[in-house]
Amino acid sequence: MSTSRLIYLPLGGAGEIGMNCYVYGYGQPGEERLIVVDLGVTFPDMDGSPGVDLILPDIGWLKQNKARIEAVFITHAHEDHVGAVGHTYADLGAPIYARAFTANIARGKLSEYGIEPGAVQTCSAYPETVTAGPFTVSFLPISHSIPESSALVIDSPDGRVIHTGDFKLDTSPLVGEPWDPELWAEVSKGGVKALVCDSTNVFSHTPGRSEASVGPAVEKLVAEAKQMVVATTFASNVARVKTLAEAGERAGRSICLMGRAMRRMIEASVETGVLKGFPKVIGPEDASQIPRENLMLLVTGSQGERRAASAQLARGKYHGIEMQEGDLFLFSSKTIPGNERGVIRIINQFSEQGVDVVDDSSGEYHVSGHANRPDLVTMQEVVNPQIVVPMHGEHRHLREHVKLAGEKGRKGVLAVNGMMVSLSGNAPEVVDYIETGRTYLDGSVQIGALDGIVRDRIRMALNGHVTVTVILDEEDEPLGDPWCDIKGLPETGRSRAGLVEVLEADLGQFLGRAKAKTMRDDAKLEDELTRIVRQTSQNEIGKKPEVTVVVSRLT
Amino acid sequence: MSTSRLIYLPLGGAGEIGMNCYVYGYGQPGEERLIVVDLGVTFPDMDGSPGVDLILPDIGWLKQNKARIEAVFITHAHEDHVGAVGHTYADLGAPIYARAFTANIARGKLSEYGIEPGAVQTCSAYPETVTAGPFTVSFLPISHSIPESSALVIDSPDGRVIHTGDFKLDTSPLVGEPWDPELWAEVSKGGVKALVCDSTNVFSHTPGRSEASVGPAVEKLVAEAKQMVVATTFASNVARVKTLAEAGERAGRSICLMGRAMRRMIEASVETGVLKGFPKVIGPEDASQIPRENLMLLVTGSQGERRAASAQLARGKYHGIEMQEGDLFLFSSKTIPGNERGVIRIINQFSEQGVDVVDDSSGEYHVSGHANRPDLVTMQEVVNPQIVVPMHGEHRHLREHVKLAGEKGRKGVLAVNGMMVSLSGNAPEVVDYIETGRTYLDGSVQIGALDGIVRDRIRMALNGHVTVTVILDEEDEPLGDPWCDIKGLPETGRSRAGLVEVLEADLGQFLGRAKAKTMRDDAKLEDELTRIVRQTSQNEIGKKPEVTVVVSRLT
């Protein structure tokens, strides 16, 4: 037993915001029994992952060590923590544990893969525990921007780890359990080996604000609105959706939820009992019959997503409802970095419709779900851990969080995805580097981020594409002229002749003079033809396209 | 003369931030003599314009009316005001007027197209005037974030228009002329028909801050730095570059400018006399010899541009200099919406190097170059125009600016790109809609944004590409099997067989059963083969690729 160790290995979320996936292990080196905390996703973008549907953590290492996995624990139901359960379940083959609301959402995801609901086991909160190999794990309630968020209290023979999950210190979160420092102190009083802690807001220097602080401002805004009111927020922020709905109800408006994700989240909250007293809602078909000054829509799409309800309303009619001059649209949300263009696009579309848009620039209509810097200090003080392990953050956040721990006289360790850290000794120690990365769900296929597939797509987007077809007869002589097709390239260039014609002429000239040895060698011929296409295109249009050469030999 | 009119026609910048291009005309309808104000560019992005090098206004209407153009006036040397002079000069064939610094930059751009410096005429400031057909135009100094920014005082038989260009109300801009309300009141006292006014900061509710307010904070930061200091800002913000350099000099550091754009701007400022007393700078080769605690680099790339100095330093060595643990990197700039990902990328790279990054989140190290809402009110009060015409802004900015004018009891008109407005009557009147849009500089070719070329590239990025080759003999019978090549698609799909093999089998089966009529008809055959490729791919990999079909007929 003396050489057994407690390890921490982030596979996603450490060095990025999103795609959380952390592994803990205990046992002899290389034989540790493992538990997985969270299986999240992150979202593709046109810059780096065009055409990709979803980005999953690379769980290759877990697949290799499948037999060692005892269980999966999900801290809360945000996509970046639970989104990959369906795509990875078959590869991990371990039971999933979560609290009721999270389990409800996870089961929905598994059912898309035909996996039975029993794959997820519903747990109660601390002090109930789950035994998973050498670990005993408990869900410790903590406030966040979704119901039933939980930290995990992970007990091992080498001591207790508290993995915070995402959290804020909110004593009146409206929905879900408030931050309870006494409970946390109680849990921590026997000594905590490591606090593995959310880092996303480490650069926010003021204490976090309570969810309850949003209500009065929203209520005033809605009460003063003259025409229809539409509000958007993150669908999973059930407390916020409730705040918005209550503001509408108090202003005498009928409430209509629009967008699948929002209806799904509210349903799950009601089904699992975490949401009570939500105002009565009407369907879109009834909404279109109600005078607009008596109506409030709560819609998905706070990040400007093209297919969400907000973007559809911005483009025109959605479920029979259309925005009009004098309507109010409220973003009760912040724009996640990278989504600015999409959000600004719909704000301008609303502007063209004469809709007044209110966003969070005043700071009144949204609060963050994450602990700010002073809250992180409070958390460290309450838990008083031996080691602080920052997680869920880009490199800059993790580094700053380690510094913050240091300022308070605590040991911190900067571990990014793939770094295996032993927590057993007096100081954390990096004991291994695991190859890790990202897996793309591309259509219905999972591909590696570095497989070259997406790289080729990006190159076609940047450079366009030329297809060259050459037919050679039995003597390796060209049968007719080479043939070019272009896609994503201008039809004429510098010489004012058609690009295709110029390319075909240059290729034909080359083939007419090529040596027999070249003509016999497919690979060499393709290289040469590609080179000519790129060179001629560079001269003609100032671009070097991607090229597909098809050499057909009649035999 | 009675039916002559004064028109305003934005071709770029009204409905967007960037790509400024405005036309004024005076004369009989359809025969107005024209002047062009600014010829700016905007920048492509992967989302909407992958592979594009630069975005220019669509000047199709101006080309059609080339004979009516009297002159081009450039208000200042920012890319979104001067960037398109080189690309459009030949099409417009009109003299360009600008003040010395702007003219210097414009001539540099023209020289890339082999156009003589004489194409740009250097003007002095108000009260000097340029006569351009029915117009008399004068450059009225105004503060902004680049030297010699100027409004234009445009006199026509139907009255005086003041076109602000970009501006802020800064009484101590450090470089360039301060805001001079007395001069502006003097210019306006005879009555101003229309104030055509910058709108970008209409949603900023506090008065703008002076460039002079940045110095003390920067000086303190640099003085306290222990190791090398690197600072970035917009290269054209000569005042800021000077502030940064002076802070370095006072802290006993040698100053090194890195990045072509920054050196170019400082050179132009010195050559034209707008910048005096800039600290002595050293070259990169000398910089690498100096102890890092005595060095300060001023670099390009405040927006995270991949090829700029900041991004190169973030990736590794640049001109022999490398960042190290404990160095300081300062963003004395704001991140333009849409550029967040690039900026965050380099901040994280610096974090990995152990570099401390300071950005403008505290608000201390950057001030905007544009007039905030209260400043716009001041401008209206000083000029006291009959009409306010908001320009340079997205739809939401223009709409808000019209509202703001209305709140102050003034007439405003919301005119977006392509709307021709007559300013002659008592109220502004939309008299025509001109087809307008964007022109892409793509490699060395100008293409229309809606030509479908970039659309095809985006589709290849999203969906991948399949090339199908079929050879038919004299009887329209397939000679051998069809051939497929894939690019940007996974090699295997649902059936675990190679995607190419499955595609070729399905295509071969189709060809074996196709009717003679189909086999004779190229277009029909291509449609059918494309349909099969898309259908089979959808089944196999959940994606419908772009397809190029090449049917070769041996005759």
Side-chain angles (χ1 to χ4, degrees):
Chain A
M1 202 66 176
S2 64
T3 63
S4 283
R5 62 185 187 183
L6 171 64
I7 57 166
Y8 162 76
L9 167 63
L11 293 176
E16 67 196 325
I17 292 181
M19 203 180 85
N20 291 275
C21 180
Y22 308 90
V23 180
Y24 293 89
Y26 185 81
Q28 305 278 327
E31 295 170 22
E32 297 91 348
R33 302 301 298 173
L34 308 173
I35 59 173
V36 179
V37 175
D38 290 342
L39 282 165
V41 296
T42 193
F43 297 97
D45 59 55
M46 190 70 187
D47 286 296
S49 43
V52 170
D53 293 278
L54 208 54
I55 302 177
L56 317 171
D58 173 1
I59 56 161
W61 187 83
L62 285 174
K63 281 156 86 171
Q64 284 164 27
N65 294 286
K66 185 173 175 177
R68 289 162 56 193
I69 307 173
E70 298 282 353
V72 174
F73 295 86
I74 307 294
T75 59
H76 64 287
H78 276 146
E79 287 296 318
D80 60 337
H81 295 260
V82 74
V85 285
H87 312 101
T88 55
Y89 182 76
D91 287 328
L92 301 182
I96 298 170
Y97 296 91
R99 294 179 69 195
F101 175 80
T102 310
N104 183 302
I105 299 295
R107 288 189 188 107
K109 294 188 177 296
L110 290 167
S111 74
E112 292 170 22
Y113 279 73
I115 301 162
E116 293 299 315
V120 183
Q121 304 194 23
T122 303
C123 304
S124 295
Y126 179 92
E128 182 174 303
T129 58
V130 175
T131 301
F135 295 104
T136 315
V137 181
S138 183
F139 288 84
L140 183 62
I142 183 82
S143 45
H144 184 41
S145 49
I146 190 168
E148 288 192 348
S149 261
S150 301
L152 297 175
V153 182
I154 303 171
D155 285 331
S156 78
D158 275 3
R160 174 165 282 190
V161 171
I162 295 186
H163 179 103
T164 64
D166 289 357
F167 75 100
K168 66 187 290 189
L169 304 184
D170 193 338
T171 52
S172 51
L174 305 186
V175 171
E177 296 102 335
W179 158 240
D180 182 348
E182 285 168 25
L183 173 64
W184 277 66
E186 163 77 22
V187 169
S188 306
K189 74 168 182 240
V192 172
K193 182 93 198 171
L195 175 68
V196 182
C197 189
D198 179 5
S199 309
T200 55
N201 278 11
V202 67
F203 288 107
S204 299
H205 288 260
T206 52
R209 288 159 52 214
S210 169
E211 183 61 34
S213 70
V214 176
V218 170
E219 198 161 320
K220 181 161 181 289
L221 188 72
V222 176
E224 289 171 359
K226 301 274 182 291
Q227 294 295 317
M228 186 165 73
V229 177
V230 185
T232 186
T233 188
F234 304 96
S236 57
N237 193 335
V238 172
R240 185 70 51 77
V241 177
K242 190 181 182 204
T243 295
L244 294 167
E246 285 175 349
E249 190 182 44
R250 284 195 196 124
R253 292 171 181 266
S254 295
I255 307 300
C256 175
L257 302 181
M258 287 183 136
R260 206 170 66 96
M262 192 165 281
R263 288 199 307 272
R264 172 84 187 89
M265 281 290 169
I266 297 299
E267 272 166 29
S269 308
V270 172
E271 278 173 20
T272 56
V274 297
L275 179 62
K276 294 188 177 77
F278 193 82
K280 187 172 164 295
V281 300
I282 59 171
E285 56 294 339
D286 295 325
S288 58
Q289 306 307 315
I290 287 179
R292 46 204 310 117
E293 65 272 21
N294 297 336
L295 189 60
M296 180 163 176
L297 312 181
L298 303 181
V299 304
T300 52
S302 68
Q303 301 306 305
E305 303 94 324
R306 275 181 183 275
R307 291 177 202 164
S310 63
Q312 300 214 39
L313 280 169
R315 288 197 293 268
K317 215 172 241 190
Y318 183 61
H319 283 299
I321 298 180
E322 216 168 354
M323 303 291 283
Q324 287 181 8
E325 175 98 32
D327 288 345
L328 173 71
F329 191 98
L330 170 64
F331 283 89
S332 182
S333 55
K334 75 154 202 169
T335 303
I336 294 170
N339 295 340
E340 290 79 3
R341 282 200 193 112
V343 170
I344 288 174
R345 184 189 305 118
I346 71 173
I347 292 179
N348 281 311
Q349 287 167 331
F350 284 135
S351 179
E352 288 173 26
Q353 295 170 344
V355 172
D356 295 312
V357 175
V358 174
D359 65 16
D360 185 46
S361 51
S362 70
E364 292 178 279
Y365 305 111
H366 179 65
V367 294
S368 171
H370 293 271
N372 287 359
R373 191 181 185 95
D375 310 320
L376 296 173
V377 173
T378 302
M379 179 55 94
Q380 289 180 21
E381 285 165 354
V382 170
V383 173
N384 193 26
Q386 267 183 47
I387 307 166
V388 175
V389 186
M391 53 121 185
H392 204 193
E394 299 163 8
H395 194 282
R396 61 187 174 126
H397 300 103
L398 304 182
R399 178 166 180 262
E400 187 70 14
H401 200 167
V402 168
K403 272 196 197 176
L404 177 65
E407 284 169 18
K408 305 295 168 188
R410 295 178 198 280
K411 254 178 242 154
V413 57
L414 201 170
V416 296
N417 293 341
M419 281 170 69
M420 186 189 285
V421 178
S422 167
L423 301 172
S424 288
N426 283 325
E429 187 191 351
V430 177
V431 292
D432 205 354
Y433 293 88
I434 303 304
E435 204 158 311
T436 182
R438 297 177 155 204
T439 297
Y440 292 157
L441 180 68
D442 190 49
S444 53
V445 179
Q446 289 186 23
I447 61 178
L450 303 178
D451 285 0
I453 294 167
V454 171
R455 179 203 60 204
D456 282 352
R457 294 214 292 260
I458 292 173
R459 286 181 179 168
M460 288 191 286
L462 296 175
N463 307 323
H465 183 259
V466 175
T467 302
V468 178
T469 313
V470 177
I471 305 176
L472 302 181
D473 65 16
E474 292 83 346
E475 272 80 49
D476 301 318
E477 289 295 320
L479 205 64
D481 293 322
W483 187 277
C484 288
D485 286 85
I486 59 173
K487 232 185 187 44
L489 293 170
E491 285 179 9
T492 53
R494 183 167 317 220
S495 67
R496 307 275 163 188
L499 174 60
V500 163
E501 284 71 41
V502 178
L503 286 171
E504 289 175 351
D506 285 3
L507 293 168
Q509 202 167 55
F510 168 80
L511 290 175
R513 295 192 300 214
K515 295 196 177 122
K517 198 176 138 192
T518 304
M519 297 300 284
R520 279 196 303 272
D521 182 343
D522 273 11
K524 192 164 169 55
L525 194 54
E526 283 178 26
D527 281 356
E528 291 289 341
L529 296 175
T530 298
R531 188 182 55 73
I532 292 165
V533 168
R534 291 168 65 85
Q535 186 56 53
T536 296
S537 299
Q538 177 66 34
N539 292 341
E540 280 293 304
I541 60 168
K543 279 185 109 72
K544 292 186 171 173
E546 302 306 297
V547 184
T548 298
V549 176
V550 184
V551 177
S552 304
R553 292 178 186 276
L554 302 183
T555 50
Chain B
M1 201 68 180
S2 63
T3 63
S4 283
R5 63 187 185 182
L6 171 64
I7 57 166
Y8 162 76
L9 167 64
L11 294 177
E16 68 198 323
I17 292 180
M19 203 180 85
N20 292 275
C21 180
Y22 307 90
V23 180
Y24 293 89
Y26 185 82
Q28 304 279 327
E31 295 168 23
E32 296 91 349
R33 303 301 298 175
L34 307 172
I35 59 173
V36 179
V37 175
D38 289 342
L39 282 165
V41 297
T42 192
F43 297 97
D45 59 56
M46 190 68 187
D47 286 296
S49 43
V52 170
D53 293 277
L54 207 54
I55 302 177
L56 318 171
D58 173 0
I59 56 160
W61 187 84
L62 285 173
K63 280 155 85 170
Q64 283 166 28
N65 295 286
K66 185 172 174 178
R68 288 162 54 193
I69 307 173
E70 299 281 354
V72 174
F73 295 86
I74 307 294
T75 59
H76 64 286
H78 276 146
E79 286 296 319
D80 60 337
H81 295 260
V82 73
V85 285
H87 312 99
T88 54
Y89 181 77
D91 288 328
L92 301 182
I96 298 170
Y97 295 91
R99 294 179 68 196
F101 175 79
T102 310
N104 183 303
I105 299 295
R107 287 190 189 108
K109 295 188 177 295
L110 290 167
S111 75
E112 291 170 22
Y113 278 74
I115 301 163
E116 293 298 316
V120 184
Q121 303 193 25
T122 302
C123 304
S124 296
Y126 179 91
E128 181 173 305
T129 59
V130 175
T131 302
F135 295 104
T136 313
V137 181
S138 183
F139 287 85
L140 183 62
I142 183 82
S143 45
H144 184 42
S145 50
I146 190 168
E148 288 192 346
S149 262
S150 301
L152 297 176
V153 182
I154 303 171
D155 285 330
S156 78
D158 275 5
R160 175 166 282 191
V161 171
I162 296 186
H163 180 104
T164 65
D166 290 358
F167 75 99
K168 67 186 290 190
L169 304 185
D170 193 339
T171 52
S172 51
L174 305 188
V175 171
E177 297 102 335
W179 157 239
D180 182 348
E182 284 167 25
L183 174 63
W184 276 66
E186 163 76 23
V187 169
S188 307
K189 75 169 183 241
V192 172
K193 182 92 199 172
L195 175 68
V196 182
C197 189
D198 179 5
S199 308
T200 55
N201 279 10
V202 67
F203 288 107
S204 300
H205 288 261
T206 52
R209 287 157 53 214
S210 169
E211 184 61 36
S213 70
V214 175
V218 169
E219 199 162 320
K220 181 161 182 289
L221 187 74
V222 176
E224 289 171 358
K226 301 272 182 293
Q227 293 297 318
M228 186 167 73
V229 178
V230 185
T232 185
T233 188
F234 305 95
S236 57
N237 193 334
V238 172
R240 185 70 51 77
V241 176
K242 190 181 182 204
T243 296
L244 295 167
E246 285 174 349
E249 190 181 43
R250 284 194 195 124
R253 291 171 182 267
S254 296
I255 307 300
C256 175
L257 303 180
M258 288 182 133
R260 205 170 65 96
M262 192 166 282
R263 288 199 308 272
R264 172 85 186 87
M265 282 290 170
I266 297 300
E267 272 167 27
S269 307
V270 172
E271 278 173 20
T272 55
V274 298
L275 179 62
K276 295 189 176 75
F278 193 83
K280 187 171 164 294
V281 300
I282 60 172
E285 56 294 340
D286 295 324
S288 59
Q289 306 307 316
I290 287 180
R292 45 204 309 116
E293 64 272 21
N294 297 337
L295 189 60
M296 179 164 177
L297 312 181
L298 303 181
V299 304
T300 52
S302 68
Q303 301 305 307
E305 303 93 324
R306 275 180 184 277
R307 292 177 202 165
S310 63
Q312 300 213 41
L313 280 169
R315 289 197 293 270
K317 217 171 240 188
Y318 183 62
H319 284 297
I321 298 180
E322 215 167 357
M323 303 290 283
Q324 287 181 9
E325 175 97 34
D327 287 344
L328 173 72
F329 190 97
L330 169 64
F331 283 89
S332 182
S333 55
K334 76 155 202 170
T335 304
I336 294 170
N339 295 340
E340 289 80 1
R341 282 197 194 115
V343 170
I344 288 173
R345 184 189 305 118
I346 70 172
I347 292 178
N348 281 310
Q349 287 167 330
F350 284 134
S351 178
E352 288 171 26
Q353 296 169 343
V355 172
D356 295 313
V357 175
V358 173
D359 66 16
D360 184 47
S361 50
S362 71
E364 291 178 278
Y365 305 111
H366 179 64
V367 294
S368 171
H370 293 272
N372 287 359
R373 191 182 184 94
D375 310 320
L376 295 173
V377 173
T378 301
M379 179 55 94
Q380 289 179 21
E381 286 165 356
V382 170
V383 173
N384 193 26
Q386 266 183 45
I387 307 166
V388 175
V389 185
M391 54 121 185
H392 205 192
E394 299 163 7
H395 194 283
R396 61 187 174 127
H397 299 104
L398 304 183
R399 179 166 178 262
E400 187 70 15
H401 200 168
V402 168
K403 272 196 196 176
L404 177 65
E407 283 170 18
K408 305 295 168 188
R410 295 179 199 280
K411 254 177 242 154
V413 56
L414 201 171
V416 296
N417 294 340
M419 280 170 69
M420 185 188 287
V421 178
S422 166
L423 300 173
S424 288
N426 283 325
E429 188 191 352
V430 178
V431 291
D432 205 354
Y433 292 89
I434 303 305
E435 205 159 311
T436 181
R438 296 178 155 204
T439 297
Y440 292 157
L441 180 69
D442 190 50
S444 54
V445 180
Q446 290 188 21
I447 61 178
L450 303 177
D451 285 358
I453 294 167
V454 171
R455 179 202 62 204
D456 282 353
R457 293 213 293 259
I458 292 173
R459 286 181 179 169
M460 288 191 287
L462 295 174
N463 308 322
H465 183 258
V466 175
T467 302
V468 178
T469 313
V470 177
I471 304 177
L472 304 180
D473 66 14
E474 291 82 347
E475 271 79 50
D476 300 319
E477 289 294 320
L479 204 64
D481 293 322
W483 186 278
C484 288
D485 286 85
I486 59 173
K487 230 184 187 52
L489 294 169
E491 284 179 8
T492 55
R494 185 168 315 221
S495 68
R496 307 275 164 191
L499 174 60
V500 164
E501 285 71 41
V502 178
L503 287 170
E504 289 175 352
D506 285 3
L507 292 169
Q509 204 168 54
F510 167 81
L511 289 175
R513 294 191 303 212
K515 295 196 176 120
K517 199 176 137 193
T518 303
M519 297 299 284
R520 278 198 303 272
D521 182 342
D522 273 11
K524 193 164 167 57
L525 194 55
E526 284 178 26
D527 280 356
E528 292 288 342
L529 296 175
T530 298
R531 189 182 55 74
I532 292 165
V533 168
R534 292 168 64 86
Q535 186 57 52
T536 296
S537 299
Q538 176 66 32
N539 292 341
E540 281 293 304
I541 59 168
K543 279 185 109 72
K544 292 187 171 172
E546 302 306 298
V547 184
T548 297
V549 176
V550 183
V551 176
S552 304
R553 294 178 184 274
L554 302 183
T555 50

